[in-house]
Amino acid sequence: MTTKGISLFSLAIALATPAIAQAQPTGAAANGAMRFDIAASDLRGALTEFSRVTGLQVVVAPSAVAGRRTAGVRGALTTRAALDQLLRGTSLVASMRGSVVVLKPAAKAPAPRPTTVATAPRPVAVAEAAPAYVQEQQAEEPATDIVVTGFRQSLTEAQRLKRGAVGAEDDIVATDIAAFPDLNLAESLQRVPGITITRDSGEGRQIALRGLGADFTRTQLNGMEVLGNTASGMDNRGGVSRSRSFDYSLFASELFNRVAVQKSYAAEQDEGGIAGTVQLTTARPFDYAGSKFVVSAKGQTNTNTSGVTPRIVALASTHSDTFGALVSVAYSQIRSNEYGYRNWGWGLTKYAAANIGPNIDADTRTKLLNGVWQSTAQSPSSWYTDRKRLGITGALQYRPSDKFKIDVDLLYGRLWDYRDDYALATAGANPLTGSSIGGTQIIQSAVIDGTNTLRAASFTGIDLRSEHHIVKNHTDFYQGVANAQWNPTENLTIHALGGYEQSDFGQPVFDKVFMEAKNTAFSFDMRPTIPVNTYGISLTDPNNWQLQRLDVQENKITNSYANGKLDAAYKLNDALTFKAGGEYKHFINSGYTWVNKVFHNTPTLTTVPNDLKNTVGVDTLLQYIVGNVDGIYALIGDKRNLTAANLQAGSDYRVDEQTWAGFAQVDLDTTVGGMRLRANAGLRYYSTDLTSSGHLATGAGFVPVSIETNSSGWLPAANVALDVAKDVVVRLSASRNVNRPGLGDLAAAGSITTRPNGGSLSLGNPFLKPYKATSVEGSVEWYMDAHGFASVGFFYKNMDSFITTATTTMPYGQTGLPLSLLIQGQDASTPYDVSQPVNGPGAKIKGIEVAFQHDFTFLPGPLKHLGVVANGTWFDGERTAIYGTGASRATRILPLDALSKWAFNATLYYENKLWGVRVSDAYRSEYLTGIGTAITNSGSGIRGTNNVDFQAHVNIRPGIRLIAEGINLTNEPIRQFDSIDAYRPDVYTTSGRTFTFGFSAEF
C-alpha cells in the first residue's frame, strides 16, 4: 500500500463527514439549476466533465471507477440531482463537502465522523466559475484522523482556485485570512508570493507586488477599483497620503472571504495596475448552505503601551431558494507607540569660519568650509497612536431562476486615528538644520569619513527645540455596487455592473507646541546602530524651556469613483467563447491643506508657567520637557480652527479623470494531444480625459490654472495554461498594460515646506505621460493531489518610460514665488530644494518566484498533522534618477522604489482535531523609497526586515474555539537611511509586540 494512497483515502473519508466551518457550494452550483450535457460514456471521463462544468473537485479511487460506465445526464438540474443521475447504476455514492465531492462504493460502512470546529469568523467561499479537476485515490484504507477542515481546507481551496485560473494567480480564502495573526489585510497579503508590505505605527500599510510599488498595483473591491487615504504620523514616511495606492490599514481582514492576486493581465480586465490586480471580495448569503451566525471577540495589547483593547467580529446570514441577505461587522481598537531615533534627513552643510572651533585640525576645517553631509535635527522621537477601525458589509442576492441573478454589495469603513507625538531636535534659533551654519553654533570636534559624511561631532552654542504634537483624523469609506447576470439563451451570458464609492479623509486637529532651550552644549554619534546624543543641560528641568512656536494644520482629501460596465460572453461551441464589453469610469481626487504658524520667540522666547510643561507621556529613548498643547493654546490665544484664508500654497489641487474603454476577447478550453488547453487572447482600447486644476508657480507667484490632456491606447493580451500532465500545469502570458501617473505628480499645483535656514518646493506636472509596459511571464506548477503544490515562475516587464523626479537646489528668489510665503528669518537668498516629476528613460524589471505548500500526511503518528507553506522571490529592476537641471544635471541608475531583491515567507503549521498552532515568518531585503536629494546622496530607503508571528487555538467544543496570537514577536526595528553609498541613518524605531487572546463561535 503506497503512502500516497493512504493519505488520499484519509482525505476522502474526512471530507465525506459533516463539518461546521467549511466552504459550501455557491448558489449556482448548490441552490439553482445548471445546464448539463454529458453523454453516455466511461464514468471516469464523465466525472471529469462534471467537475469542469460545476467547478467541483471530485475525489475517487481508480478501482472504484475502473470499468464502470454512466448513462450520462442532460438538462437543467441542480448539482446534486445531476450527480445522482450520473452515478445511477454505478454502485457509487457521493458525499459533498463544500467544493469537494468524495465518491466511494455504496457497500462501504460509513466512516467515523471526526469532530470539526469553526475555524474562523467566516467560512470559505467557493468561486462559481472556477474550473476544477478530478483527484483519484490510489487505494482504500481505514480512515485516520487527518483533519482537512480549518486551515488545511483553506489552503486546499486556495490551491484549487490557483490551478483553475488561466493566468498567474494566487488566492487567499476566508479561513486563511481570518486565521492568520493579522491586524489588517496588508499583513494577510504579505504571505502571497511576490508581495511585500510597508509598515507604520506597528501595522502593515501598503503593498508592493513583484517589486513595483503601491501605485502600480490596482486594488478592486467587489469588482470596482478602490482608493482610500490615511496618514502617517512621521514626516519621513510622507505624512498625509494622497496617492493612487490603496492603504490596506483601512480595513480589517475579517471583512473579506476571498482575495485573488491576479499577476497576469487579460483584455477583459480593467486597464491599469502594471504590477497586477488585487481582487477583494466580501461575503454573500449564498456562500453558505443555510442560515449562519458567527461571532468572534478578542482582547489585544501591545508591549509599548498599556491596557487591553477589543477586536470584535460578527456575521449573520440567511437565504431562501431565491433571496438572501447578509450583514457583517468588524470593530477593533489598538494602541501602539513607535519610538526611537530620527533624523529629518541629510544635507550638504557649509560652516562659516567663525563657527569652527580652534581644536579642529586643518584638513577637517577645509572640509567643513567646503561642505559636509550632515544629519538634520538628530531627534529622539515617539509616535503614540490610538487607532479604531470599524467595517460594516451588507449583501443582498436575488436569484429567481437559473437564467438571472443580481447581487448588491454595500460596504462602510471608518478608521479613526488619535496621535500623541513627541520629538527633541537641534532646531531652535541656532540649529543644526539647513545648508549653512552661521549663528552661535561652534563645532568643537568632528569625525568625517571617506564619503564626506559627518558621523560624529560635538558643539557649543546650540539651541534645542522640543515638540508636542496632537493629531485627530479619520477616513470614511463608502461603496455600493450591483452585479447582474442574465442568460437569455443557453449560449449567451450578459453581465452588468454599476457602482459608486467615496473616500473622505479629514484631519481637523493637527496642533503643535514647540518649546526652546537656549545655548547648550550638544554632541551626536551616528556610528552605533541607534545613534547617541549627549546634552549640556538638564532636559527635564522646566526652567530651561520656554515657548518658541505654535503650529496648526487641517487636511481634507476626497476620492469619488463611479463605474459602469456591460459585457457579454457567447459560447461559439464547446471549446470557444467570445467576449466583448464596454466600460465607463469617472474618478475625482480633491483636497487641501490649511496651515497657521506663529512664532513666539521675537524678540525673546515667550515665558509660560511651569505647570504647562511636562515630560514625554509615552515610552521614549530619553525624557525631556514638552509643552501642554491644550493649556498653552488656551494661555496664548492662537486660533486652532482654521479657514480657507489659511490655505497652504499649492495644496488645493483637483484631478478629474474620465475613461471610456472597450474590449474583445476569445476564450479557449479544449484538449490537444490528450492535454487540456485553456487560453484567452484579446485587445482592449482605452481613452482617458484628464483635467488637472490648481495653482502653478509663475513669476507673479501662484496663479489659478486648469489643464486638460488626453491619453489613449490599445492593450493586447494573451494567456495560456496547458496541463502537460495530470498534475502539471504550464502557463505563459504576454500583455501590454498602462499605469496612470500618481495624483500628486499630475497636480497643476505646487506645495512649499519651510524649515529653519531652508525649505523645499514640490511642483506637479499635468503633462506627464502614463507608464506603459510590455510584460512576458510563465510558470510551471506541480499539484500533489490535494496535499500541496510546488511552482516556479518568471516574469519580465519593460516600461517605455518611467516618471522620475528632477531635483535641484536654488535660492528661493529664483523660484518666482512671493516672499510672503517664507517664514521668519528667511529671504530671497534662502536655499530651497525644488523638485518636479518628469518622464524619464524607461525602466525594466524581472523576477523569479518559487512557492511550495504541503501537508505532511505521509509522516508517522502525530507528525502527520504538520504542514508548511513557503515562498521566495528574487527581483531585479532599475530606472534612471535625475538630479539638478541645466549644466548641473546628473543622472544615475538606481533600483526601483519598493523593490526588495530578495523576499521570503514561510508558515509552519500543526493542526489536529483538538488544537493547532502556526508560526509565520516574513522577510524582505532592503529597498528604496526615493531617489534622494543629490547625486552624492542618492537613494533613500529602508533596511531589510524580518517579522515573526504566531497563532494557536484550542477547540473547546464543536463550533467554539479559544485563540491566542502574537504579532512581531522579535520587535523588529524599522531602519531608514539616506544614500545607498554611505548609508546615512535616518530612522531607527520599534513598535513593540502585539498579543491577542479570545474566542470564535459559529452557529
Side-chain angles (χ1 to χ4, degrees):
M1 192 65 61
T2 65
T3 302
K4 181 178 180 183
I6 294 172
S7 61
L8 279 172
F9 187 71
S10 301
L11 173 66
I13 295 299
L15 283 171
T17 59
I20 294 179
Q22 296 307 304
Q24 300 298 331
T26 57
N31 300 293
M34 299 182 67
R35 178 69 59 178
F36 292 91
D37 188 11
I38 302 175
S41 62
D42 175 76
L43 179 59
R44 178 176 178 179
L47 289 172
T48 299
E49 177 64 13
F50 173 84
S51 178
R52 186 188 70 81
V53 170
T54 61
L56 298 175
Q57 175 184 341
V58 180
V59 180
V60 63
S63 59
V65 294
R68 285 188 168 93
R69 293 185 59 81
T70 176
V73 55
R74 286 183 171 85
L77 301 168
T78 65
T79 301
R80 183 74 219 196
L83 183 60
D84 290 342
Q85 184 172 324
L86 195 68
L87 297 177
R88 190 172 298 158
T90 65
S91 300
L92 295 177
V93 294
S95 297
M96 298 178 62
R97 287 308 311 157
S99 60
V100 180
V101 176
V102 179
L103 305 182
K104 59 180 186 278
K108 277 276 184 186
R113 297 162 61 100
T115 302
T116 58
V117 298
T119 61
R122 180 131 39 263
V124 177
V126 179
E128 296 176 18
Y133 53 96
V134 175
Q135 292 188 337
E136 296 182 339
Q137 300 161 211
Q138 301 303 308
E140 297 180 2
E141 288 290 334
T144 68
D145 60 349
I146 294 295
V147 177
V148 292
T149 61
F151 184 65
R152 272 197 170 101
Q153 173 63 15
S154 72
L155 295 179
T156 299
E157 177 62 18
Q159 173 184 324
R160 185 186 72 84
L161 294 169
K162 175 181 177 69
R163 182 172 185 173
V166 178
E169 178 175 315
D170 288 285
D171 294 87
I172 312 175
V173 290
T175 54
D176 196 340
I177 294 170
F180 268 130
D182 299 326
L183 296 175
N184 61 49
L185 201 56
E187 300 195 16
S188 296
L189 282 165
Q190 72 176 315
R191 310 181 201 285
V192 171
I195 288 184
T196 53
I197 69 172
T198 59
R199 287 183 169 84
D200 183 71
S201 299
E203 287 195 61
R205 186 176 181 191
Q206 294 178 326
I207 70 170
L209 176 57
R210 285 185 161 178
L212 290 171
D215 275 347
F216 294 94
T217 302
R218 180 183 55 232
T219 301
Q220 292 185 316
L221 173 59
N222 294 324
M224 282 184 62
E225 189 166 352
V226 59
L227 295 98
N229 299 106
T230 62
S232 168
M234 189 185 295
D235 299 342
N236 301 65
R237 298 184 195 143
V240 176
S241 166
R242 189 173 179 182
S243 68
R244 293 187 190 274
S245 56
F246 180 65
D247 195 322
Y248 284 88
S249 67
L250 182 58
F251 295 132
S253 61
E254 293 94 339
L255 291 176
F256 306 93
N257 66 357
R258 182 186 171 193
V259 178
V261 181
Q262 298 167 334
K263 301 174 181 178
S264 302
Y265 178 66
E268 64 183 331
Q269 294 176 304
D270 289 2
E271 74 284 349
I274 286 176
T277 296
V278 177
Q279 295 275 7
L280 311 178
T281 304
T282 55
R284 293 167 177 163
F286 281 103
D287 292 343
Y288 309 102
S291 297
K292 184 72 61 177
F293 179 74
V294 182
V295 64
S296 172
K298 302 175 185 176
Q300 54 192 17
T301 186
N302 182 276
T303 55
N304 282 7
T305 63
S306 60
V308 177
T309 55
R311 187 179 184 96
I312 301 171
V313 180
L315 176 145
S317 175
T318 187
H319 66 81
S320 64
D321 290 340
T322 59
F323 180 78
L326 176 149
V327 63
S328 70
V329 179
Y331 173 81
S332 65
Q333 179 184 11
I334 185 167
R335 301 187 186 106
S336 68
N337 178 35
E338 184 177 352
Y339 74 94
Y341 194 98
R342 175 179 67 136
N343 291 312
W344 295 353
W346 290 74
L348 191 62
T349 304
K350 295 182 179 181
Y351 284 74
N355 299 100
I356 303 175
N359 296 323
I360 302 292
D361 63 80
D363 181 57
T364 301
R365 178 180 295 270
T366 299
K367 292 178 181 178
L368 292 171
L369 290 170
N370 292 332
V372 295
W373 286 99
Q374 178 175 301
S375 60
T376 298
Q378 307 91 27
S379 175
S381 303
S382 300
W383 297 267
Y384 173 86
T385 302
D386 189 341
R387 171 170 289 180
K388 299 176 183 178
R389 185 183 290 112
L390 172 67
I392 303 173
T393 73
L396 301 173
Q397 290 185 289
Y398 179 56
R399 301 188 173 184
S401 71
D402 62 324
K403 295 182 179 297
F404 179 79
K405 65 179 181 179
I406 185 169
D407 301 332
V408 177
D409 297 292
L410 305 171
L411 185 146
Y412 170 72
R414 184 175 175 92
L415 179 69
W416 296 266
D417 263 357
Y418 170 79
R419 297 183 180 274
D420 196 6
D421 303 334
Y422 303 86
L424 173 65
T426 55
N430 293 283
L432 294 179
T433 60
S435 59
S436 62
I437 301 295
T440 63
Q441 312 95 315
I442 305 295
I443 186 168
Q444 303 290 355
S445 66
V447 177
I448 303 173
D449 68 9
T451 65
N452 198 33
T453 302
L454 185 63
R455 297 289 179 179
S458 63
F459 304 84
T460 56
I462 296 297
D463 295 338
L464 302 176
R465 190 185 80 183
S466 73
E467 175 182 338
H468 187 191
H469 179 196
I470 291 178
V471 178
K472 295 180 182 179
N473 62 50
H474 58 268
T475 302
D476 289 290
F477 179 87
Y478 314 83
Q479 187 198 66
V481 58
N483 282 273
Q485 182 173 306
W486 178 40
N487 297 86
T489 70
E490 184 175 344
N491 293 331
L492 178 62
T493 301
I494 298 174
H495 169 255
L497 176 148
Y500 177 82
E501 66 189 28
Q502 183 168 314
S503 170
D504 295 317
F505 171 82
Q507 188 164 265
V509 177
F510 185 100
D511 300 343
K512 291 185 179 183
V513 171
F514 297 98
M515 307 292 287
E516 187 170 336
K518 305 291 289 185
N519 193 26
T520 178
F522 169 76
S523 66
F524 67 78
D525 189 347
M526 297 291 162
R527 292 170 294 184
T529 301
I530 305 177
V532 177
N533 294 352
T534 57
Y535 301 87
I537 62 169
S538 171
L539 299 176
T540 57
D541 183 352
N543 296 305
N544 291 329
W545 298 87
Q546 302 300 336
L547 180 64
Q548 182 212 47
R549 189 173 112 201
L550 296 178
D551 283 8
V552 179
Q553 183 181 127
E554 295 184 26
N555 291 273
K556 178 71 173 179
I557 302 172
T558 298
N559 293 311
S560 64
Y561 183 62
N563 193 193
K565 300 180 184 179
L566 181 64
D567 55 75
Y570 185 77
K571 187 174 181 180
L572 300 172
N573 52 47
D574 289 340
L576 289 172
T577 300
F578 176 74
K579 298 178 178 178
E583 179 178 14
Y584 171 75
K585 296 182 287 187
H586 188 191
F587 169 66
I588 301 174
N589 173 273
S590 60
Y592 61 80
T593 299
W594 294 344
V595 295
N596 189 50
K597 299 181 180 181
V598 181
F599 284 81
H600 293 276
N601 60 346
T602 302
T604 60
L605 297 173
T606 299
T607 301
V608 296
N610 284 350
D611 62 0
L612 295 181
K613 306 170 189 175
N614 49 266
T615 56
V616 176
V618 299
D619 287 350
T620 176
L621 291 178
L622 53 89
Q623 282 289 349
Y624 46 90
I625 290 294
V626 296
N628 181 295
V629 174
D630 291 334
I632 289 180
Y633 270 95
L635 174 70
I636 301 300
D638 283 1
K639 63 180 179 180
R640 301 177 76 176
N641 295 317
L642 306 182
T643 67
N646 301 104
L647 179 68
Q648 177 174 293
S651 68
D652 60 333
Y653 64 86
R654 171 187 169 106
V655 175
D656 187 317
E657 291 178 340
Q658 296 189 62
T659 299
W660 291 93
F663 79 94
Q665 178 176 302
V666 175
D667 290 0
L668 175 68
D669 190 344
T670 188
T671 300
V672 177
M675 300 178 293
R676 185 183 179 191
L677 173 66
R678 292 166 292 137
N680 59 60
L683 184 65
R684 188 178 189 87
Y685 175 79
Y686 73 94
S687 178
T688 300
D689 294 314
L690 167 71
T691 301
S692 181
S693 56
H695 294 84
L696 280 181
T698 69
F702 283 110
V703 297
V705 66
S706 179
I707 297 173
E708 296 182 359
T709 62
N710 175 269
S711 62
S712 60
W714 296 91
L715 304 174
N719 299 275
V720 176
L722 180 65
D723 294 355
V724 297
K726 171 189 168 184
D727 51 4
V728 177
V729 180
V730 175
R731 304 183 198 276
L732 185 64
S733 300
S735 65
R736 180 86 166 156
N737 204 351
V738 66
N739 215 99
R740 297 176 178 89
L743 298 173
D745 290 344
L746 289 172
S751 62
I752 185 170
T753 302
T754 59
R755 60 176 183 265
N757 298 333
S760 61
L761 177 66
S762 178
L763 302 175
N765 184 356
F767 298 101
L768 290 172
K769 298 177 181 179
Y771 303 88
K772 291 185 179 180
T774 301
S775 302
V776 177
E777 59 186 282
S779 65
V780 178
E781 301 162 6
W782 173 33
Y783 292 89
M784 295 166 272
D785 300 318
H787 295 289
F789 73 92
S791 67
V792 59
F794 74 92
F795 73 91
Y796 174 79
K797 298 180 186 291
N798 184 17
M799 299 189 195
D800 299 347
S801 68
F802 195 88
I803 296 170
T804 189
T805 302
T807 304
T808 188
T809 302
M810 66 177 66
Y812 180 83
Q814 295 182 16
T815 67
L817 303 180
L819 296 180
S820 61
L821 298 177
L822 296 177
I823 62 174
Q824 176 185 306
Q826 296 185 348
D827 56 30
S829 64
T830 303
Y832 266 66
D833 298 324
V834 180
S835 63
Q836 185 175 38
V838 297
N839 282 108
K844 299 178 181 178
I845 183 170
K846 56 189 174 184
I848 298 174
E849 299 174 348
V850 179
F852 177 76
Q853 171 192 318
H854 206 277
D855 294 329
F856 296 154
T857 53
F858 55 87
L859 293 178
L863 295 179
K864 63 178 173 286
H865 300 293
L866 284 168
V868 67
V869 181
N871 62 75
T873 57
W874 172 85
F875 299 140
D876 187 33
E878 58 187 29
R879 47 78 183 273
T880 301
I882 301 174
Y883 305 91
T885 58
S888 64
R889 175 181 164 140
T891 62
R892 179 175 181 177
I893 303 298
L894 290 176
L896 291 167
D897 287 354
L899 184 149
S900 290
K901 180 158 284 191
W902 298 96
F904 174 77
N905 284 276
T907 298
L908 180 66
Y909 56 90
Y910 183 94
E911 191 170 50
N912 62 27
K913 293 181 295 185
L914 299 179
W915 63 278
V917 64
R918 287 188 292 282
V919 178
S920 300
D921 181 273
Y923 167 78
R924 69 177 300 185
S925 62
E926 133 184 335
Y927 60 97
L928 295 187
T929 56
I931 65 172
T933 57
I935 191 72
T936 51
N937 192 46
S938 56
S940 58
I942 297 180
R943 294 278 198 163
T945 58
N946 192 74
N947 287 75
V948 180
D949 310 321
F950 88 93
Q951 193 258 20
H953 68 266
V954 176
N955 303 319
I956 59 177
R957 58 166 295 171
I960 301 178
R961 64 169 41 181
L962 298 178
I963 303 170
E965 299 166 339
I967 300 168
N968 191 23
L969 296 182
T970 60
N971 196 19
E972 182 75 1
I974 295 178
R975 297 175 294 164
Q976 295 179 233
F977 64 88
D978 274 8
S979 175
I980 59 174
D981 303 311
Y983 285 100
R984 299 168 178 133
D986 260 352
V987 172
Y988 184 99
T989 60
T990 57
S991 55
R993 303 167 177 86
T994 299
F995 296 96
T996 69
F997 180 80
F999 75 94
S1000 68
E1002 182 174 342
F1003 308 96

